[in-house]
């Protein structure tokens, strides 16, 4: 089966699996008997559409079965992921050359010197945000030894500003592969002279490190020579009104989830992550053989989401990585729904294509589960909102249903608790519930569009929006 056809099958497999699971649940509920027939009522929607609905709560055994199934599935995925990680740590398989057991054996008794940090900042016309990025590096309690701005096809003052700030500039040559291509050129130049402890950080030019990031990361890398990468946790900058607050709440919840995973990495974020040269060199050697891509490239230039792809590549090679809670960064937000749509569609499409490139492996299990989970969530939330809408339109008088009110209260509490660290604005938005539910629906539509596009074999594009000085428009990451 060709690569393109397999990638198209990814979308179809996810859609069929999720749709089938939802249909099974529907039939299971329908098969619980007609004991509630007496509670059914009729209504007319907009004066023309006659509907029949059940005014009673689902039977307790149905609710308990649904909760038990969700918990069992979540626990199963978590335990399986833990088992895969533990097996990878103990692996001596030559196909996983970054496995901790192998790395520890090869470096036993070898001192590679103190950990030094070289920062690569890929930048394409980033004159507006680059000064703040460099300033955040220079104010770190553990300052990096080198900072190199990778100027890629810049037509503004990006390179000049970097030199004025006292950092090095590497200018890409004839690069047509966007950010990944520029980084590949810089890494081919940089890596040959790096020792095992001369770690490389890659961070976006629209990102600022919180103080303590490098100090915490260097401590981790100094204490564990098997650790191949340290990823950052990101949260959103201030501003951009309600669209910005939606994204800030979303990022807070993502960081909370990583914290609950005790730092186990899901994605080594492109905003800021640190790698050992051994890890990057091993990835470059493995391209075209054990992992997708062109031999010699660290980043797969065919991927729309290079950070997600590199994470899967490192996991496939057995690499140990972590995202400590102390390593946080502030990143730029999309200022409006148009740019947010473009950003999230690229993320979603890239995630699906990466699954198509790697297939179903132990290392991609968690990513497949995520896609199935999102798909099931799309159906559940859509059905919930549709039923609410039908009820509102079909009833002559407003009726309070205790069961559904209880569900709404549970949702509100969960929203507030998970966004608590964001302050009063985050909590206020969360407690109102429905605005965030509609934002979730926006993301669900993006998800569905990604599934449809990849299933139909539509060509994906890497869009780039200029970062204007006004801050009203922004780069799509």
């Amino acid at each position: 089966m060709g690569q393109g056809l397999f990638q198209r099958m990814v979308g179809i497999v996810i859609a069929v699996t999720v749709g089938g699971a939802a249909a099974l649940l529907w039939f299971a509920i329908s098969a619980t008997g007609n004991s509630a027939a007496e509670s059914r009522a009729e209504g007319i929607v907009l004066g023309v559409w006659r509907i029949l609905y059940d005014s009673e709560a689902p039977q307790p055994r149905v609710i308990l079965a649904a909760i038990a199934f969700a918990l069992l599935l979540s626990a199963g995925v978590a335990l399986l992921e833990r088992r895969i990680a533990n097996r990878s740590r103990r692996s001596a398989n030559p196909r996983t050359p970054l496995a901790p057991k192998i790395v520890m054996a090869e470096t036993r008794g070898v001192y590679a010197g103190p950990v030094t940090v070289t920062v690569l900042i890929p930048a394409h016309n980033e004159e507006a945000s680059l000064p703040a990025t460099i300033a955040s590096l220079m104010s770190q309690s553990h300052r990096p030894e080198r900072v190199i701005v990778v100027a890629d096809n810049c037509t503004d003052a990006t390179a000049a500003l970097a030199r004025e700030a006292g950092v090095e500039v590497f200018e890409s040559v004839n690069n047509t592969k966007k950010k990944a291509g520029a980084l590949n050129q810089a890494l081919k130049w940089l890596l040959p002279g790096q020792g095992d402890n001369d770690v490389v950080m890659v961070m976006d030019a629209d990102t600022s490190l919180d103080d303590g990031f490098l100090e915490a990361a260097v401590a981790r890398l100094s204490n564990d020579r098997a650790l191949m990468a340290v990823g950052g946790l990101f949260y959103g900058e201030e501003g951009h009104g309600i669209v910005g607050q939606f994204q800030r709440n979303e990022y807070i919840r993502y960081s909370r989830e990583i914290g609950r995973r005790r730092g186990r990495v899901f994605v080594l974020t492109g905003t800021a992550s640190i790698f050992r040269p051994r890890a990057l060199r091993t990835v470059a050697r493995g391209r075209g053989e054990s992992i997708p891509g062109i031999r010699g490239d660290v980043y797969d230039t065919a991927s729309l989401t290079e950070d997600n792809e590199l994470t899967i590549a490192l996991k496939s090679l057995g690499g140990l990585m972590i995202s400590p809670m102390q390593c946080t960064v502030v990143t730029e937000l999309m200022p409006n729904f148009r740019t947010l749509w473009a950003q999230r569609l690229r993320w979603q499409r890239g995630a699906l294509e990466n699954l198509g490139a790697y297939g179903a492996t132990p290392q991609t299990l968690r990513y497949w589960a995520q896609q199935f989970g999102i798909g099931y969530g799309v159906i559940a939330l859509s059905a919930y909102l549709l039923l609410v809408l039908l009820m509102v339109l079909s009833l002559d008088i407003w009726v309070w249903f205790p069961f559904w009110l209880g569900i709404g209260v549970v949702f509100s509490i969960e929203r507030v608790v998970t966004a608590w660290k964001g302050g009063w604005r985050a909590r206020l938005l969360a407690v109102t519930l429905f605005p965030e539910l509609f934002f979730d629906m926006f993301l669900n539509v993006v998800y569905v569009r990604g599934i449809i596009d990849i299933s139909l074999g539509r060509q994906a594009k890497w869009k780039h929006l200029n970062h204007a000085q006004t801050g009203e428009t922004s780069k799509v990451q």
Side-chain angles (χ1 to χ4, degrees):
M1 183 181 295
Q3 185 68 30
L5 181 57
F6 187 81
Q7 287 198 344
R8 293 178 64 175
M9 289 300 296
V10 169
I12 295 172
V13 167
I14 291 174
V16 170
T17 303
V18 170
L24 282 175
L25 180 60
W26 177 274
F27 288 132
I29 294 175
S30 300
T32 56
N34 59 355
S35 59
E38 294 179 357
S39 66
R40 291 174 182 172
E42 293 184 3
I44 304 295
V45 178
L46 300 178
V48 295
W49 187 13
R50 178 174 174 273
I51 65 168
L52 178 66
Y53 62 92
D54 190 341
S55 59
E56 295 293 330
Q59 296 181 28
R61 67 172 185 271
V62 175
I63 299 173
L64 292 175
I67 294 174
F69 180 74
L71 292 176
L72 185 64
L73 191 62
S74 300
V77 171
L79 290 174
L80 197 55
E81 184 183 19
R82 176 68 63 88
R83 179 178 173 81
I84 291 169
N86 290 337
R87 288 185 60 183
S88 179
R89 287 171 182 267
R90 296 189 290 267
S91 174
N93 189 331
R95 292 181 62 83
T96 57
L98 295 177
K101 184 176 182 179
I102 296 175
V103 173
M104 295 293 280
E106 291 180 355
T107 59
R108 184 172 293 116
V110 178
Y111 178 60
V115 172
T116 68
V117 181
T118 296
V119 181
L120 296 183
I121 307 174
H124 173 68
N125 292 343
E126 301 285 359
E127 63 179 13
S129 59
L130 186 61
T133 301
I134 295 175
S136 77
L137 285 167
M138 297 309 174
S139 62
Q140 288 284 300
S141 55
H142 182 110
R143 292 182 59 169
E145 276 68 20
R146 294 177 72 183
V147 177
I148 304 171
V149 172
V150 182
D152 179 42
N153 296 314
C154 292
T155 57
D156 65 358
T158 294
L161 284 173
R163 292 189 178 96
E164 288 177 8
V167 303
E168 299 176 51
V169 176
F170 176 93
E171 297 193 54
S172 62
V173 179
N174 300 324
N175 175 46
T176 59
K177 302 297 183 181
K178 309 296 183 184
K179 174 182 173 182
L183 283 171
N184 281 337
Q185 289 189 10
L187 288 167
K188 284 178 182 176
W189 162 73
L190 178 69
L191 285 179
Q194 301 294 99
D196 277 352
N197 277 349
D198 299 325
V199 300
V200 179
M201 166 181 265
V202 178
M203 71 175 295
D204 284 345
D206 53 19
T207 297
S208 296
L209 299 186
D210 283 340
D211 189 25
F213 184 114
L214 290 183
E215 184 176 359
V218 167
R220 294 270 185 169
L221 291 160
S222 299
N223 295 330
D224 188 351
R225 64 180 190 275
L227 187 60
M228 290 292 108
V230 176
L233 298 176
F234 53 90
Y235 57 92
E237 63 181 355
E238 290 297 317
H240 307 308
I242 189 72
V243 179
Q245 193 60 54
F246 281 138
Q247 296 170 79
R248 282 189 289 276
N249 283 15
E250 181 188 16
Y251 291 170
I252 288 170
R253 293 188 177 107
Y254 173 77
S255 295
R256 189 173 183 273
E257 181 181 349
I258 296 299
R260 294 174 64 186
R261 289 167 55 87
R262 297 182 179 179
R264 292 196 302 278
V265 169
F266 188 71
V267 174
L268 288 169
T269 172
T271 54
S273 291
I274 300 179
F275 307 90
R276 283 196 195 273
R278 170 190 287 263
L280 299 179
R281 285 194 285 258
T282 304
V283 168
R285 284 196 299 270
R287 294 279 183 207
E289 295 183 1
S290 56
I291 54 177
I294 299 173
R295 187 174 177 82
D297 284 352
V298 172
Y299 286 92
D300 183 4
T301 55
S303 174
L304 288 170
T305 48
E306 67 283 341
D307 50 357
N308 175 264
E309 196 281 334
L310 184 57
T311 307
I312 299 176
L314 288 169
K315 285 188 176 182
S316 300
L317 296 170
L320 178 65
M321 54 195 89
I322 193 169
S323 291
M325 294 301 291
Q326 300 91 338
C327 296
T328 55
V329 303
V330 183
T331 192
E332 190 181 49
L333 299 177
M334 295 297 103
N336 52 55
F337 281 105
R338 181 178 61 83
T339 53
L340 185 62
W341 171 275
Q343 180 198 53
R344 298 309 173 88
L345 186 57
R346 185 175 74 82
W347 287 4
Q348 175 59 28
R349 182 64 184 270
L352 293 173
E353 290 186 351
N354 290 339
L355 289 180
Y358 281 85
T361 70
Q363 289 74 28
T364 59
L365 170 72
R366 182 66 175 79
Y367 302 92
W368 281 99
Q370 182 203 34
Q371 292 298 323
F372 289 135
I374 295 174
Y376 203 78
V378 169
I379 295 175
L381 182 57
S382 301
Y384 175 74
L385 293 177
L386 178 61
L387 287 174
V388 170
L389 179 64
L390 286 175
M391 184 190 72
V392 170
L393 294 177
S394 61
L395 294 181
D396 294 328
I397 59 172
W398 186 262
V399 179
W400 297 102
F401 293 98
F403 174 79
W404 293 110
L405 280 174
I407 294 292
V409 170
V410 171
F411 277 0
S412 295
I413 293 173
E414 187 273 340
R415 297 271 98 182
V416 173
V417 169
T418 54
W420 190 263
K421 290 181 64 177
W424 68 269
R425 283 180 296 183
R427 298 166 201 162
L428 182 62
L429 181 62
V431 77
T432 51
L433 185 60
F434 276 95
E436 284 204 322
L437 288 182
F438 287 115
F439 177 69
D440 288 344
M441 278 304 299
F442 171 82
L443 299 180
N444 288 345
V445 174
V446 173
Y447 170 86
V448 172
R449 173 63 185 273
I451 293 285
I452 292 173
D453 283 353
I454 196 171
S455 299
L456 297 179
R458 290 172 180 164
Q459 187 69 34
K461 295 181 179 179
W462 206 108
K463 295 182 180 179
H464 185 283
L465 302 181
N466 289 328
H467 185 177
Q469 293 281 3
T470 60
E472 293 301 321
T473 59
S474 174
K475 183 186 74 172
V476 175
Q477 299 174 357

